[in-house]
Amino acid sequence: MTGPFAVRTRGLRRTYGGRAAVCDLDLTVPAGETFGFLGPNGAGKSTTIAMLCTLLRPTAGTAEVAGADVVRAPWLVRRRIGVVFQEPTVDRELTAEENLRLHAELYGMLRRDARVRSRQLLALFGLDRPRVPVGAFSGGMRRRLELARSLMHHPGVLFLDEPTVGLDPQSRAVVWDHLYGLRREQPITLFLTTHQLEEAEHCDRIVVLDHGRVVAQGTPQQLKAEVGADVVHLRTADDAGVAAALTESGLTAGHGPDGVRVVTADGAGLVPRLCAGLTTPVHSVTVTRPSLDDVFLHHTGRTIRDAGSAELSPAQGR
Amino acid sequence: MTFTIEPVERPDGVPAADLVRGDPARRVDGVGHELRAIGVLWRRELLRLARNRAQLALMLINPMLFLLVLGTGLDTMLAGTAGSADYRAYLFPGVLLMAVQLPALSAGMSIVRDREAGFLRGMLVAPVGRGTILVGACLGGATAAVVQGGLLLALAGFAGLSYQPVVLVLLLAVLALVAFTMTVLSALAAVLVRRPETFQTMLSIGAMPLFFLSGALFTVGTLPGWLRTITLANPLSYAVDALRRTAALAMPPERAPAALELAGWTPPILVELAAMLLVSVFALAVAVRRFARTG
């Protein structure tokens, strides 16, 4: 892979008392990409983020983030990245603007620039609430404030550790609207971790992590195409006749009491051709695509929800 | 895979944003940056104090209780027996210490809480030194403590001190050093003890004995040997002594209480202050070292 990269790790590893939380990680994230790190709780996502953000020293291996080495030049990395942690890091006793200004001072921004930038961001994120301490904000607003804060100093790479965990679906959608808007308006690399499949769908490319190791990587489409095909489901006036006709034309089709099933690589692309080619009236068509959960199941033998709950159960005792 | 970077034109002559490193916004660098970071963390502590006036008032209750009730009570009792009736004057420096002790020690609590709440992580990922974060928090905590001590200083007249501006300023200065030392010690404890429950227990169990054994309530010289030894080993004793001798400047010499003696030697007040400064610098260095340890 050529071109500038935002994150590159080679043999990155972190062990806790002999147990590897992250094991020989080789990642390359091109600049400008929205990159997702998918895995259940305890897969090593947060440990990796902590190493990339210079909060945790790698046991072995190297990591270069935003053009600087995390061990040799942590201050450069810190200056160039923004981080939204899983847990809230804003001061609940201060107002939104005070939080942004405090952040700007810690990053050495000029006061004039900080004033302009904080006003812009507060307006952009709908957080213009003077004199209201952040403690009185809703969960969604606080998350947006975290996001605004991480963008104050114009970072090149933005790390988001489970950016929408604990939010209701509506607030989650708002956060994603902002992230999309952000990508459109400025060149930025988004590096996010998630254990939510819907969220991974938003990414240009994802890496599936399990027990500290990469088990699969690619675009969501590639990964899904690898594990299975689409299923087109038809309801017609004559299911048996249609199934026979489709099989004759070389498709994998069958029929049952619930209609005709056609298994194909590109379901959405097949639908127009199917409808145009059939003389029998078609009542309904549905296309079912393999989900990322199928991807996860394929690579780890568990669904991501099973893996997550197993990790949380104390009886597991590892 | 190749990437084209659209150059972003900016009117103010700042170079265009970089796809890898972000926008090289105009920044303050080096020592100036660290000083500003200390400044903003200090201001944060003061803002919190200003928004929490109820707590400010509540923390004054105990020292006032000691001065007004215990002081007056023992004053009248002692007046009945012996001649010297200046117990309130004797107690006053101890009460000042008490007033700064609680807010100074809660500075450590605020570090522990920041860690719990995640705020600390946000600071640790910022491009500032670990020492800067601790120094800012300690200075903020110490300032809050001095504000408390200053409020109590208004009651000096009740303890028989005359309001001499020079002495009051000196007292505030000594209080500031005492408060800073205590804040640093509590910050050190906060860095070593990470669980809020443990820290809270340490505070509530430790604060009373430290105060009782500091010579704040009674003259060290006349104590039985074992009690005197413990008291002399308590660093707070020297803080109380330094405060008491500074306060004595605002009293007629014949009423001034006896200074602390260490095996027949009365340490000069400057030595006491220097020792406190040394302790705080040392404790701060240890705390920064522990704090800087990543993972």
Side-chain angles (χ1 to χ4, degrees), chain B residues 212-215 218-229 231-232:
Chain B
F212 277 170
L213 295 170
S214 68
F218 18 74
T219 321
V220 180
T222 53
L223 291 176
W226 63 273
L227 199 50
R228 189 165 64 227
T229 311
T231 306
L232 288 175

Side-chain angles (χ1 to χ4, degrees), chain A residues 95-151:
Chain A
T95 68
E97 183 167 9
E98 282 165 349
N99 265 297
L100 294 191
R101 300 291 288 279
L102 188 144
H103 181 88
E105 295 276 317
L106 289 181
Y107 280 77
M109 289 175 76
L110 295 188
R111 298 226 166 91
R112 190 157 37 100
D113 293 352
R115 194 160 44 233
V116 174
R117 180 83 171 154
S118 68
R119 288 218 185 106
Q120 282 173 351
L121 287 172
L122 289 177
L124 179 68
F125 284 88
L127 294 167
D128 226 341
R129 300 275 296 274
R131 286 188 295 280
V132 179
V134 171
F137 280 17
S138 69
M141 284 175 82
R142 273 208 290 275
R143 217 82 261 267
R144 262 146 51 212
L145 178 60
E146 298 273 350
L147 203 52
R149 200 184 70 140
S150 68
L151 292 170

Side-chain angles (χ1 to χ4, degrees), chain A residues 65-105:
Chain A
V65 175
D69 187 282
V70 295
V71 175
R72 272 176 294 162
W75 59 94
L76 278 181
V77 174
R78 287 190 204 137
R79 203 182 273 175
R80 296 170 183 171
I81 62 170
V83 190
V84 176
F85 287 109
Q86 209 173 122
E87 69 270 32
T89 60
V90 291
D91 189 330
R92 298 168 66 99
E93 290 177 44
L94 303 183
T95 68
E97 183 167 9
E98 282 165 349
N99 265 297
L100 294 191
R101 300 291 288 279
L102 188 144
H103 181 88
E105 295 276 317

Side-chain angles (χ1 to χ4, degrees), chain B residues 69-138:
Chain B
V69 179
L70 187 77
T72 310
L74 285 179
D75 218 12
T76 44
M77 201 170 93
L78 291 173
T81 54
S84 75
D86 286 326
Y87 187 65
R88 269 188 306 215
Y90 184 83
L91 188 63
F92 191 60
V95 168
L96 284 180
L97 179 85
M98 199 176 187
V100 298
Q101 187 180 26
L102 196 53
L105 292 183
S106 44
M109 193 62 214
S110 132
I111 292 175
V112 173
R113 237 195 343 249
D114 276 348
R115 189 198 304 281
E116 279 289 294
F119 183 82
L120 203 59
R121 272 198 120 189
M123 282 195 287
L124 288 177
V125 83
V128 288
R130 279 20 187 168
T132 302
I133 296 171
L134 273 186
V135 170
C138 287

Side-chain angles (χ1 to χ4, degrees), chain A residues 201-267:
Chain A
E201 299 277 0
H202 294 294
C203 300
D204 297 331
R205 206 158 55 88
I206 54 178
V207 153
V208 181
L209 200 68
D210 191 35
H211 296 312
R213 289 172 195 276
V214 173
V215 293
Q217 58 179 316
T219 66
Q221 290 72 27
Q222 281 171 352
L223 288 177
K224 285 185 286 192
E226 266 174 33
V227 298
D230 295 356
V231 177
V232 181
H233 214 180
L234 297 159
R235 282 194 168 277
T236 62
D238 173 20
D239 289 346
V242 168
L246 292 176
T247 310
E248 208 164 298
S249 68
L251 288 163
T252 320
H255 74 100
D258 56 344
V260 184
R261 281 167 52 93
V262 188
V263 179
T264 174
D266 178 15

Side-chain angles (χ1 to χ4, degrees), chain A residues 1-6 14 30-33 46 50 53-57 65-67 75 78-81 83 85-91 93-95 98-99 101-113 133 149 153-157 161 187-189, chain B residues 1-3 5-6 8 10 12 14 17-30 33-41 43-44 47-49 51-52 113-130 132-133 292-295:
Chain A
M1 202 175 296
T2 60
F5 53 86
R14 172 75 203 193
E33 190 173 72
S46 292
C53 296
T54 75
L55 286 181
L56 196 64
R57 244 184 130 80
V65 175
W75 59 94
R78 287 190 204 137
R79 203 182 273 175
R80 296 170 183 171
I81 62 170
V83 190
F85 287 109
Q86 209 173 122
E87 69 270 32
T89 60
V90 291
D91 189 330
E93 290 177 44
L94 303 183
T95 68
E98 282 165 349
N99 265 297
R101 300 291 288 279
L102 188 144
H103 181 88
E105 295 276 317
L106 289 181
Y107 280 77
M109 289 175 76
L110 295 188
R111 298 226 166 91
R112 190 157 37 100
D113 293 352
R149 200 184 70 140
H153 58 285
H154 307 269
V157 184
D161 196 3
I188 192 163
T189 308
Chain B
M1 208 183 288
T2 53
F3 296 88
I5 305 167
E6 291 285 328
V8 183
R10 296 186 26 150
D12 47 9
V14 173
D18 180 306
L19 192 50
V20 174
R21 281 171 294 205
D23 197 337
R26 291 165 295 190
R27 295 184 319 106
V28 182
D29 251 326
H33 172 208
E34 303 290 334
L35 285 180
R36 272 183 58 189
I38 290 179
V40 73
L41 294 175
R43 274 211 308 281
R44 169 174 178 250
L47 263 177
R48 287 164 76 141
L49 184 75
R51 284 197 189 147
N52 240 325
R113 237 195 343 249
D114 276 348
R115 189 198 304 281
E116 279 289 294
F119 183 82
L120 203 59
R121 272 198 120 189
M123 282 195 287
L124 288 177
V125 83
V128 288
R130 279 20 187 168
T132 302
I133 296 171
R293 227 178 259 180
T294 44

Side-chain angles (χ1 to χ4, degrees), chain B residues 164-190:
Chain B
Q164 294 177 26
V166 179
V167 177
L168 291 182
V169 168
L170 279 177
L171 267 178
L172 266 184
V174 177
L175 264 184
L177 180 60
V178 173
F180 185 70
T181 309
M182 292 176 86
T183 312
V184 169
L185 288 175
S186 84
L188 175 63

